Amino acid sequence: MCGIIGYCGRKPAVPVIIEALRCLEYRGYDSAGVASLCDGELLIRKDAGKVEEVIQKHELAGLPGNVAIGHTRWATHGGVSQLNAHPHSDCGGRVAVVHNGIIENNQELRQELTARGHRFSSETDTEVIPHLLEDELKNGRSLEQAVLSIAPKIEGSYALLALSLDDPGRIIGTRKNNPLIVGIDDHDYYISSDALAFSQYTGQVMGLEDNEVVVLAQGGIHFVDARGNRVAKQARKLDHSWAVSDKGAYQHFMLKEIMEQAQVLSRIVEQDGKMFTEIALDILRARQVIVTACGTSRYAALVGRYLFSRVGKKFCDVVMASEFGYFADSVDKNTVVIAVSQSGETADVVEGVKAAREAGAQIISIVNRPNSILTDLSHRVIYLNCGSEIAVAATKSFLCQLAIFYLLAFSMVNSFDAAVARLSDLAGDITRVLDWNKSELIKLSDRLQDKTDAYYIARGINFAIASEGALKLKEISYVHAEGMPAGELKHGTLALIEPGTPVVVICPADYTFAETLSNAIETRSRGAYIIGVSDRDSDIYDSWIRIPEVDELLYPMVAVVPLQLLAYYIAISRGCDPDKPRNLAKSVTVK
Ligand code: M6R
C-alpha cells in the first residue's frame, strides 16, 4: 500500500521517479506526486488520479533537479484528493516527505504540533512528519539528525523518505515494519519500497533494518543505526529474473499472469527436496500446526489443510491473519506457524508472525517476493519462484502456493520426488484447460456481464476453489459473489437463488462429484443458471467449463485456472480495469 521512491545522483531525477512510479503503481493508484530539489527551490507536484494522469496533467517530465522523491498512494487517512496526495510539506514548504504505512499516534502529534503553531493542510497521518522535522531543522539539526530524533516519537509502521531545502543534495530514508530497499550504481543512488522500481538501472542492492537510517547524498551513501552509529553494509545482487514487470503482448498483467501458469509450475523441479523433508518432519512433530494468511493465500492454505490431513494424516488449522492475534494465547514453542503470503509484507500476517515468534513458535513462510519482511521473521522460507506478480488479483502465485502445499504433504510421507513429477506433468493440463475454454469463457462472460450476484459451490478439497473463484470475480468485476461448501447452501444462502442466478459448480469426477451435483440440482430447481466446472459433462449444466481428468488431489489446480479467466473476461466486458480494481492494492501493509 503506497509506493515510495527516491533518487539522488548525476541524472535528471524526475524521469527516474516517473518510471519508478509506473512500476510501483500496483501498490496504490489513487494519487501520485513528486518533490524535486533544484537551485534552492523545493518543487512539489501532486494530485489525485492514476500515475499516468498525474504525470500528464502536471507535466512532471519537465521538472528539473538531480534529487527527487515520489509517491503513489492508496488512501488510508484522508480521502482521495490533491491535498492528501504525497509528498507532504511543513509550514514553510522547506521539507518534503513521502510515507508508506500508518502513524498510529498522529492525532496526538497533530494536536501538539498545532498547539506549537504548526498549520496542517491535509487530513493525512503522514503530515505530522514534515512538521516534526521542521522543528528539528529550526533547532539547527541536519536532516539526518532530525530524522533520527523524530523516529522514536512516531508510533506505528513506516517507510519514509525526506528531503529539505535546509540540507539540500540528500535524501534521508528510514523504515519500521515496511519495506525499503536501496539500489546503487556507481554514484547514482535509488531507494524504494520495491527494487522493481529501479531494477532497470541497477542490480546492486542494500537492505535496511527496522529503525536504521540511510543517507543518500550526491557524494556517497551511508547507513546509521537508531543511535546514529555508522553501520557497514555489503551490496548484494538483485535477482533480475524476479524483477521483470513487462506486460509483453498482453493487454493486462492479469491475463499475462494467468497465461504463464503452466510455465511457472514447471519451475517446481527447482525446489529443494531435502528442505521440504526437514520442514515436513517439523510439521509432523509439532503439537499443533496453524496456517495463517489473508485473501487468496488463505484459500491456498485451506486446500493445504485437506492435503495435510489426507496425505500426511496431520490436522492443521487455518486462521485468517487478521484474526490470528485473538488465538495468540494458545501459541507456544510446540507450535509450527506456516505463514502464506505472496508479497511477504501483508501487515496482518507480519503482525501475527511476530507475536507467534515471540511466543516461541517455529515460523515457516511460503512467499514469493524475495527478502521481504516476512522472510526476515521466519526460521525457514519456501519461495514460490513464480516471478513478480503485478496484477492486484493473485493468480499464478495461488497456483504455486497450491503446488507447495502439495509438495509439503507428500514430503510427510517421504514422496517429494513423486510429487514433483506429478506436478511437472500437470503443466500440460494447465495449458489444455486454457485452450479448451478460452472462447467459451468469452461467450459466457457476455452472458453473465449484467448479473449482480453469483454463487460458487464445491466440496472437500475443491471447496476453497469456490471461494477463490468468487473472490476473483468480486475484486475485479464488482459483482457480488460468494463461495461456499455446497452442503452449506441449504442452510441459508439457497434463499437468494432466483431464476437466472449464476451458480458455478466445481464438481470434478472425484469423491465430491455426486453430492456436489445434487446440491447444484437443488439450485437448478429454483431456476439457477448452472456453470459446471468438471471433467464430466452433465445435463444439468447450462454451461460446461471442461477440465482435464487428473489425480483427485490435483483438481483444485486445474479447476481454478478457468475461473480466473472467467473473472478476467467478465471484468473486461463490464469495462473494469482488472489490473487496478477500485479501492484495492496489491500489498496490504496496513492492519
Ligand atoms: O501478499 P499476500 O498473499 O499476503 O496478500 C494477501 C491478500 O491481500 C491477497 O491475496 C488478495 O486477497 C488478492 N488481491 C486476491 O486476489
Side-chain angles (χ1 to χ4, degrees):
M1 286 193 144
C2 300
I4 65 177
I5 170 72
Y7 168 78
C8 176
R10 298 160 298 185
K11 294 186 272 207
V14 178
V16 174
I17 301 294
I18 289 175
E19 272 315 304
L21 291 180
R22 289 184 175 126
C23 295
L24 292 172
E25 203 173 12
Y26 75 89
R27 301 180 69 87
Y29 34 83
D30 57 45
S31 326
V34 301
S36 175
L37 279 175
C38 184
D39 293 338
E41 271 195 277
L42 175 57
L43 307 163
I44 298 183
R45 303 282 185 276
K46 59 182 188 173
D47 217 325
K50 292 194 172 150
V51 165
E52 216 51 52
E53 292 161 7
V54 179
I55 293 171
Q56 299 308 327
K57 184 170 168 193
H58 291 275
E59 297 176 353
L60 296 188
L63 276 186
N66 301 100
V67 182
I69 56 177
H71 188 269
T72 175
R73 178 172 189 241
W74 182 86
T76 56
H77 292 59
V80 177
S81 69
Q82 184 176 31
L83 285 178
N84 290 334
H86 297 217
H88 287 287
S89 197
D90 60 323
C91 300
R94 302 188 66 77
V95 176
V97 169
V98 290
H99 162 230
N100 171 35
I102 300 269
I103 310 298
E104 282 164 6
N105 59 339
N106 78 88
Q107 287 301 341
E108 297 91 295
L109 291 171
R110 187 181 272 247
Q111 274 165 17
E112 283 168 25
L113 286 158
T114 308
R116 293 209 295 269
H118 287 265
R119 286 165 287 105
F120 281 76
S121 51
S122 79
E123 305 156 308
T124 63
D125 54 335
T126 303
E127 199 187 337
V128 297
I129 303 169
H131 290 281
L132 287 170
L133 291 174
E134 177 184 4
D135 282 353
E136 300 294 327
L137 291 163
K138 276 189 184 149
N139 286 336
R141 294 207 156 90
S142 68
L143 190 57
E144 175 185 342
Q145 289 163 341
V147 169
L148 280 166
S149 142
I150 68 154
K153 298 179 189 160
I154 304 174
E155 288 166 20
S157 62
Y158 50 81
L160 66 90
L161 304 178
L163 43 77
S164 168
L165 277 177
D166 296 316
D167 194 353
R170 59 188 64 216
I171 295 171
I172 314 295
T174 188
R175 65 168 277 241
K176 187 167 126 199
N177 290 339
N178 269 284
L180 201 53
I181 186 159
V182 173
I184 300 168
D185 178 23
D186 197 5
H187 286 294
D188 289 322
Y189 305 108
Y190 308 81
I191 183 163
S192 181
S193 316
D194 186 345
L196 198 62
F198 54 72
S199 61
Q200 60 172 306
Y201 308 108
T202 181
Q204 293 294 314
V205 293
M206 287 179 172
L208 203 65
E209 300 295 321
D210 269 2
N211 304 317
E212 280 182 356
V213 170
V214 60
V215 180
L216 277 58
Q218 277 169 317
I221 184 170
H222 69 263
F223 294 79
V224 294
D225 65 17
R227 291 197 186 129
N229 301 315
R230 291 277 179 136
V231 177
K233 295 259 173 183
Q234 287 293 322
R236 57 182 164 75
K237 254 185 130 94
L238 183 70
D239 175 359
H240 265 284
S241 64
W242 194 85
V244 174
S245 70
D246 186 0
K247 270 196 284 222
Y250 293 99
Q251 205 191 338
H252 295 102
F253 279 110
M254 182 178 177
L255 185 59
K256 172 182 177 251
E257 288 157 8
I258 291 172
M259 291 302 176
E260 65 193 20
Q261 290 183 102
Q263 185 200 330
V264 295
L265 187 61
S266 57
R267 290 190 66 186
I268 204 75
V269 293
E270 294 167 21
Q271 294 291 353
D272 173 0
K274 186 166 167 283
M275 180 181 75
F276 271 81
T277 307
E278 286 166 9
I279 293 177
L281 274 176
D282 288 346
I283 292 172
L284 286 169
R285 283 188 196 126
R287 185 180 60 79
Q288 64 173 349
V289 179
I290 306 172
V291 191
T292 183
C294 302
T296 289
S297 298
R298 188 174 70 88
Y299 294 138
L302 288 177
V303 176
R305 184 171 64 164
Y306 284 89
L307 288 166
F308 282 12
S309 169
R310 190 80 190 271
V311 181
K313 313 285 178 261
K314 181 78 184 181
F315 179 76
C316 70
D317 211 347
V318 176
V319 181
M320 211 176 264
S322 54
E323 293 291 308
F324 183 85
Y326 306 115
F327 294 96
D329 292 343
S330 60
V331 175
D332 59 18
K333 65 178 177 26
N334 299 314
T335 306
V336 164
V337 170
I338 305 178
V340 191
S341 173
Q342 185 284 131
S343 61
E345 59 173 312
T346 300
D348 289 324
V349 179
V350 167
E351 187 181 83
V353 162
K354 276 190 174 161
R357 208 184 148 118
E358 272 164 28
Q362 190 193 350
I363 314 294
I364 296 159
S365 61
I366 301 175
V367 291
N368 190 34
R369 274 175 62 115
N371 310 306
S372 63
I373 293 176
L374 189 55
T375 57
D376 289 349
L377 289 170
S378 306
H379 297 103
R380 321 249 356 195
V381 181
I382 301 174
Y383 282 107
L384 300 181
N385 292 339
C386 68
S388 58
E389 188 179 66
I390 302 294
V392 166
T395 53
K396 62 178 180 172
S397 63
F398 180 70
L399 192 83
C400 292
Q401 287 166 345
L402 296 183
I404 297 299
F405 275 111
Y406 190 81
L407 289 185
L408 278 174
F410 277 90
S411 299
M412 290 181 196
V413 290
N414 231 345
S415 302
F416 173 85
D417 291 337
V420 168
R422 274 153 123 183
L423 289 172
S424 305
D425 288 348
L426 202 71
D429 292 304
I430 304 288
T431 306
R432 252 188 301 284
V433 81
L434 287 166
D435 291 347
W436 286 347
N437 293 295
K438 193 174 166 212
S439 50
E440 183 55 31
L441 290 171
I442 293 173
K443 280 191 227 143
L444 187 57
S445 66
D446 285 343
R447 219 170 296 149
L448 300 182
Q449 63 168 304
D450 294 325
K451 300 287 181 188
T452 50
D453 306 275
Y455 298 90
Y456 290 63
I457 57 171
R459 280 175 176 261
I461 195 166
N462 303 306
F463 141 59
I465 302 306
S467 300
E468 173 59 6
L471 176 61
K472 290 290 89 91
L473 184 66
K474 60 189 159 189
E475 74 174 326
I476 60 169
S477 306
Y478 320 142
V479 173
H480 165 247
E482 285 184 43
M484 73 200 73
E488 192 63 14
L489 198 70
K490 56 186 172 297
H491 297 289
T493 311
L494 197 58
L496 297 172
I497 304 296
E498 292 177 349
T501 305
V503 175
V504 179
V505 184
I506 302 148
C507 53
D510 63 3
Y511 65 102
T512 66
F513 180 78
E515 286 183 335
T516 310
L517 205 67
S518 124
N519 297 131
I521 291 168
E522 289 157 11
T523 68
R524 194 163 199 264
S525 307
R526 275 95 187 159
Y529 180 88
I530 308 291
I531 300 149
V533 181
S534 183
D535 42 342
R536 188 180 295 170
D537 198 2
S538 162
D539 289 348
I540 79 137
Y541 306 152
D542 294 293
S543 281
W544 179 30
I545 298 176
R546 184 180 167 207
I547 57 174
E549 186 185 342
V550 295
D551 180 296
E552 66 180 20
L553 298 179
L554 292 172
Y555 276 120
M557 298 181 74
V558 287
V560 75
V561 172
L563 296 182
Q564 298 165 340
L565 202 56
L566 178 63
Y568 173 81
Y569 286 130
I570 293 178
I572 297 297
S573 50
R574 289 168 63 85
C576 305
D577 178 347
D579 283 349
K580 298 190 189 95
R582 68 184 180 203
N583 305 339
L584 301 179
K586 183 76 180 158
S587 298
V588 186
T589 57
V590 293
K591 286 190 277 169

